[in-house]
Each structure stands twice: as C-alpha cells, then as structure tokens.
Amino acid sequence: MPNSRVWLDVDLTAIAKNFKVIRNAVKPCELMVVLKANAYGLGMLPIAEHLVSLGATRFGVAELKEALALKKRFPKLPVQILSGLLEQEVDECVRHKIICPISSPTMARWISRAAVRQKRKAKVHFKVDTGMGRLGFPHLQAAAQIAAALKLPGLVAEGILSHFSSANNPQDGKNREQLSNFRAVLDELNAKGFEFPLVHMANSDAIHNLPEALSAPFNLARTGVNLYGVFDLEGTHAYLLKPTLTLQTKLLSRRLLQAGHTIGYGCTHTLSRDTWVGTVPAGYADGIPLAASNAGHVLIRGQSCPVIGRVSMDYITVDLTPCPQAREGDLVTVVGRSGKSKISIEDWARIKQTHPYEIICALGPRVERGYKG
Ligand SMILES: Cc1ncc(COP(=O)(O)O)c(C=O)c1O
C-alpha cells in the first residue's frame, strides 16, 4: 500500500490454507470460525467473505454489533454470540435470528420473553462454567438450572458449550477436570431427556492439545487465532499453519547523531558512538508494544535494526548500524519477512510478555488493512 503510512497485509490465500488444515484436523466435528472483535482486529467482513467462499458454515462472535454485521452480509448462515448478552441486546438478537448464548437463568428469561413478544422461536446455546470462572451456569447447578430454563416458552436449544481455561497447557489437570465436569452435566441432562444437537468446548489450543474435545459427545469446535497462522506460545502444535500477516511502514528519517545523544522520552538510551539513527512512523497507537522500547527490532533491507529509546505514540527510533545502506522511504518490516529475516507476531508477544492475541487485537485503527488473494 504505497500511499499508507503503516499498513497490514492480510494474506487471504494463507488464511484459506489454514482454514482447510484446521477443518480437517477437527473432523468429524464441524468447525465454527470465531470472528469476534473485528476478526481479532484484522477485518471481519473481508475475512468472513473469503471463508464463506471456502465453505465456512457458521460464525462465532462476542456481541450484537458484530453479529448484526455478519447477519446482514450472510442472512442464511448461523451467527452465534458465544458467551453472554446484556438485556439491551436481546430483542435485536432474537429479531435478527442471531443464535443467543444463555449463561444464566436471568438471560434465559430475557430471551424467552423477547421470543414470546416477537412471536418467534429463539435458537440458543447453553453455556456451562466447568471451571473457567467467567460465565455460564456453574457446573454443579447447571443441569437443574438448564432443565428449568428449557421449560420457558420460545426457546429452541440448538447447543450446549463450555470453554477451557488452560487448553494451552496439555499437562494441566484442569483440562481433564473441566471435561469431566462437562460430561457430568451432559449425562444429567440426557438422563432428564434433554438432548442438544451441538456440543462444543474446543478452541484453537484445545484442537491442538486436547483430542478428547474433538470426539463424542463433541461435534463442533471453534477456532479463531489459528486462522491467522498464530499460535499460543505454549502447548504442542498438532499441525503447521501459514503466517498470514505482514505489518509494514517506511523509513521516515535517517540522521547521524553524535555519541552521547539521548533518544526519546525519558532519555532511556544514550548513543555510545556516532550513530545513524532512523525514525519509523509507527508507534504504540499502531500496536507496537511499549515493551519494545530498547528491546524490539524491525527489518530494513533484510537487516535487523534494534529499537532504541522508548516507543512513542506515533514513532519508534531504530539504530541503523546493521543497515548502513538504509535510506528515507525504505520499506520497514515490523511483522513479516524481509530478505532472509523474519519477525512474527509471537516474537512481539514474547517481548511484551503477553500472548499473540493481544498483539493482533492491539493493531491500531489507523493501520490500513489490505487483503491479498
Ligand atoms: C468462547 C470462545 N470460544 C472460542 C474462542 C476462540 O479461541 P481461539 O482464538 O483461541 O481459537 C474464544 C476466544 O477467546 C472464546 O471466547
């Protein structure tokens, strides 16, 4: 994108390959693609359109606005809000045939009332808290409370789900505990005569680490972050994925500064010798972590140039010593390949001591998104 200042190229061909690999890995389960938070900040509709052309059959999102945008574009495809609803969101969800989560008796009453008022049936998935501690019917009371909710008018129970807290670590006993809690709830509900067409618990990490979550009683798996070729920093990799993201900008300035010159807010770096210093027009407003101050690097002409000084809102400063041939206007690769070198989303996550999700979701709104393939 030659006229942009900072831009993100999303490689749809690579996303297509990843989608097919993941869809194959979860078989015989169906695959739900999770596109919440604007597809983790990468652009929901272009990615959704591409995935639908490849045969994606259902979407998961976090909230009403995301669901409405997908429903408007794909009126016939199932779009599901995964975890919870505010009362103010319920009417529109029901009206637009968005699949609603029910994660409490109160939510069940709201949805039932809206369905009755609108004289229609609301498709719902019950959410069970098997140990995540965030949302859902607490597993010990879940069977009784869900059975009671199912007596309310206007609800069609299409599914039941839970969510792992520690699926990135296959050794963590919490995973087995959550699976067993979920099975107990299902058994109790089945014994009461309730069946759910869709039963699901696995996210990307569980698809890699917990094969138990991909066979009966489970018949659906949810994937988000893996679509973009991004892995959790822990856990095993059951399959390989293609990187899909390139974040680039251009070198804005190149100056020779004298030894002893300090760099940036707080003077956190002092040049030990005369140094060619480059200024790159991307900062924390674009998603470069503040933690990259005096820690990260970018690629110019295939060379790794360290970030010096503190990352500011709109700029970072880099030491151009490894790339003496650098010139104003040169391409600067923040994520992706340049020559034989590469920087991944996971590299930035390690620098920030966070997970890759936060890095991609933090790419700022002024980063121009473009889609290849
Ligand atoms: C309930 C639920 N399911 C699935 C996902 C998708 O997770 P991932 O991106 O790890 O595949 C998320 C994401 O946080 C989620 O909250």
Side-chain angles (χ1 to χ4, degrees):
M1 273 177 269
N3 294 324
S4 309
R5 209 164 149 111
V6 188
W7 65 95
L8 177 77
D9 279 320
V10 180
D11 183 344
L12 293 176
T13 310
I15 291 183
K17 291 201 171 119
N18 293 341
F19 170 71
K20 287 178 189 163
V21 167
I22 304 165
R23 189 173 53 182
N24 211 31
V26 303
K27 274 180 184 161
C29 288
E30 185 188 342
L31 186 64
M32 176 198 297
V33 291
V34 178
L35 297 178
K36 60 192 183 141
N38 195 27
Y40 295 32
L42 306 177
M44 183 175 72
L45 284 179
I47 293 174
E49 273 170 22
H50 194 59
L51 291 173
V52 169
S53 76
L54 298 164
T57 51
R58 62 172 52 230
F59 295 122
V61 292
E63 48 107 64
L64 178 64
K65 275 188 254 153
E66 298 163 357
L68 286 175
L70 281 175
K71 223 33 198 174
K72 192 167 166 205
R73 180 67 191 81
F74 310 104
K76 294 215 158 38
L77 279 190
V79 175
Q80 165 168 6
I81 295 183
L82 285 169
S83 296
L85 287 178
L86 289 169
E87 188 175 10
Q88 70 212 35
E89 297 174 306
V90 169
D91 248 346
E92 273 205 86
C93 272
V94 174
R95 182 165 312 112
H96 292 278
K97 300 190 180 138
I98 291 160
I99 302 168
C100 298
I102 296 188
S103 36
S104 70
T106 312
M107 222 176 277
R109 282 193 294 277
W110 292 339
I111 296 169
S112 162
R113 261 189 245 134
V116 170
R117 237 182 354 253
Q118 294 180 28
K119 300 192 177 53
R120 51 173 102 228
K121 298 277 185 202
K123 256 191 204 171
V124 299
H125 285 220
F126 286 91
K127 181 143 191 166
V128 180
D129 185 351
T130 52
M132 170 77 176
R134 181 173 68 177
L135 270 175
F137 293 87
H139 65 97
L140 291 175
Q141 297 116 54
Q145 292 184 342
I146 291 171
L150 281 167
K151 296 207 175 89
L152 295 170
L155 305 181
V156 175
E158 189 199 42
I160 185 161
L161 74 147
S162 189
H163 194 49
F164 289 105
S165 65
S166 312
N168 57 340
N169 180 0
Q171 265 74 52
D172 195 323
K174 184 79 182 181
N175 296 314
R176 302 279 145 0
E177 186 188 310
Q178 285 192 258
L179 280 163
S180 135
N181 291 341
F182 197 38
R183 287 205 185 94
V185 174
L186 285 174
D187 288 348
E188 213 179 317
L189 283 163
N190 291 348
K192 290 179 197 283
F194 298 110
E195 301 278 344
F196 300 86
L198 294 172
V199 181
H200 49 121
M201 193 158 175
N203 66 337
S204 294
D205 280 336
I207 297 170
H208 288 280
N209 299 320
L210 304 167
E212 306 93 306
L214 299 176
S215 55
F218 300 104
N219 56 8
L220 177 65
R222 314 182 290 262
T223 191
V225 81
N226 268 190
L227 287 169
Y228 314 116
V230 175
F231 288 101
D232 200 280
L233 301 182
E234 295 172 54
T236 50
H237 292 181
Y239 41 78
L240 289 177
L241 296 168
K242 292 213 164 286
T244 63
L245 305 178
T246 307
L247 181 66
Q248 287 176 314
T249 175
K250 288 175 188 164
L251 188 61
L252 187 140
S253 132
R254 167 183 170 273
R255 296 177 304 149
L256 182 62
L257 297 183
Q258 309 308 309
H261 207 299
T262 59
I263 304 291
Y265 288 118
C267 306
T268 60
H269 183 86
T270 304
L271 298 178
S272 56
R273 48 185 159 67
D274 295 358
T275 305
W276 283 100
V277 171
T279 304
V280 176
Y284 59 75
D286 304 290
I288 313 273
L290 190 60
S293 306
N294 294 308
H297 66 276
V298 298
L299 303 174
I300 303 174
R301 299 185 186 221
Q303 304 302 318
S304 174
C305 299
V307 174
I308 49 175
R310 191 186 287 174
V311 173
S312 59
M313 190 181 292
D314 313 306
Y315 295 101
I316 51 176
T317 322
V318 297
D319 182 343
L320 293 176
T321 308
C323 187
Q325 65 278 41
R327 292 293 177 270
E328 281 91 349
D330 272 4
L331 206 57
V332 177
T333 300
V334 180
V335 173
R337 278 192 176 281
S338 169
K340 292 196 173 124
S341 311
K342 81 174 177 50
I343 302 177
S344 66
I345 298 288
E346 288 84 347
D347 292 331
W348 286 110
R350 278 187 205 96
I351 287 170
K352 195 176 176 187
Q353 297 187 358
T354 182
H355 47 53
Y357 300 73
E358 192 189 339
I359 301 294
I360 54 176
C361 286
L363 297 174
R366 72 184 178 189
V367 173
E368 246 178 272
R369 274 91 169 144
Y371 303 89
K372 284 198 295 196

